Amino acid sequence: MTPYVEALGQEGAETFLLGFGGSQIYIPSTPRPASPLVKEIGLELTQAMRRVFGQGQLKVPLAKPWLARRLDAAGVPRPEIAKRLHVTRESVRSYLAVPKGRERA
C-alpha cells in the first residue's frame, strides 16, 4: 500500500481504498475540476495520485488485510471492521494474524 500512502497519506489512503477498492479509475494527465476523480478526492490529491501512479487507468486493490490492520490499530472493534470491509469476523481475525511484511493487498 506504499504508493497509496505516498500519494495520499495514511488516512487518505485508508479513505480512498475503502471507497475505491476493487474498482478501476482513470487518472487524467491534466486534472480538471470536472474530472470524476477530482470531484471525489479533490484536485490536490488527484495531482498527487498522478505523480505517483502516472496518467491512465489504475486498478485499485481491495487491500482488506491492510485496511483491517489500520482500523484495528485505530481501535475500531473487530465486528465493525468486518462490517466496513464486508467480510466475516473470521476473515478479520485471519487478516490480523498475518505477520507484518507478509501481508497481501
Side-chain angles (χ1 to χ4, degrees):
M1 298 300 84
T2 302
Y4 292 93
V5 173
E6 182 182 330
L8 305 169
Q10 290 280 346
E11 289 182 23
E14 181 181 316
T15 301
F16 180 80
L17 291 167
L18 283 169
F20 289 93
S23 65
Q24 188 166 343
I25 62 168
Y26 178 75
I27 301 173
S29 59
T30 306
R32 304 203 190 291
S35 160
L37 189 58
V38 172
K39 286 180 179 179
E40 289 291 328
I41 67 171
L43 181 61
E44 185 177 318
L45 292 179
T46 300
Q47 290 171 331
M49 292 283 292
R50 186 184 48 73
R51 282 191 298 276
V52 171
F53 294 100
Q55 177 262 333
Q57 295 292 327
L58 176 68
K59 290 182 181 179
V60 181
L62 291 172
K64 290 183 181 191
W66 184 82
L67 288 165
R69 285 189 298 281
R70 287 277 304 151
L71 294 168
D72 184 61
V76 176
R78 290 183 180 187
E80 179 63 22
I81 294 171
K83 182 178 174 184
R84 288 189 195 181
L85 298 181
H86 303 281
V87 298
T88 65
R89 291 180 189 185
E90 292 77 18
S91 292
V92 171
R93 192 172 333 145
S94 71
Y95 296 155
L96 298 177
V98 175
K100 187 174 178 166
R102 296 188 48 111
E103 65 266 3
R104 294 184 328 210

